[in-house]
Amino acid sequence: MEPQILYKDRALAVVVKPAGVLSESPGMPELLRDSLGGTFYCVHRLDAAVGGVMVYARTGQAAAKLSDAMARKRFTKEYLAVVQGRPEQDRAVLCDLLFHDKSVNKTYVVDRMRRGVKEAELEYTVMCSKGELSLLRIRLHTGRSHQIRVQFASRALPLLGDARYGSRFRDGGIALWSERLCFPHPFTGKTMDFSAAPPKNFPWTEFSASIFAE
């Protein structure tokens, strides 16, 4: 599989990870090594079932600087998602306490802070609705395991195709896509801003006018 490269230099590579490929080894780092040569460091993650824009460092120093920028919340991450149902508000910020159970690889919304619980926050905008489905644009304020999936599922708005979190639709993948990534270059400080549309298949084609005409 030849990876789609949006940008590359000596410090980093910005790529489109296909759904079904691991963010970490043995996945995208090996695909990039085979395509471009050298070593690639994973500095952020997407669930294996989720595709979209990612950045990989090509040196240890670049990886450290990108990780530091992420810790300082200098990364902007925007996603597209299709949920079953329609949110009560067209635009809102969702805040929850999440606990990730590593033994079953599942995240839960909980009602109090305790060991292992982390605060999670995102904002969303409803772009359009069609029948029982709604297309959302989401900006993450925090990066927790399965955050988008569980925050919407806990509000009876599971992502289409996400059977783990309550979707009735069992065919195809999870309707979540990393559409945009913005971050400072680890050495020049220049703002790097990249976007990629999801693949032209269901359910994204149900919202073609909102996604592919932009």
Side-chain angles (χ1 to χ4, degrees), residues 14 40 42-43 63 73 91 107 120 126 142 152 163 191 203:
V14 180
F40 291 83
C42 184
V43 296
K73 297 186 176 181
R91 179 176 296 178
T107 300
V126 178
T142 56
F152 284 99
T191 298

Side-chain angles (χ1 to χ4, degrees), residues 72-129:
R72 294 173 180 271
K73 297 186 176 181
R74 298 185 65 192
F75 268 61
T76 297
K77 299 178 182 179
E78 293 186 354
Y79 296 76
L80 294 177
V82 177
V83 299
Q84 294 177 216
R86 182 181 176 93
E88 293 182 3
Q89 297 175 284
D90 286 341
R91 179 176 296 178
V93 175
L94 305 184
C95 301
D96 292 292
L97 297 176
L98 302 186
F99 174 75
H100 182 69
D101 188 339
K102 294 181 180 179
S103 67
V104 294
N105 190 30
K106 191 170 182 179
T107 300
Y108 302 88
V109 173
V110 297
D111 58 8
R112 62 183 177 85
M113 184 61 74
R114 55 187 172 87
R115 185 176 181 179
V117 172
K118 297 180 179 180
E119 294 180 346
E121 182 177 292
L122 60 78
E123 63 180 291
Y124 74 85
T125 301
V126 178
M127 298 176 66
C128 59
S129 294

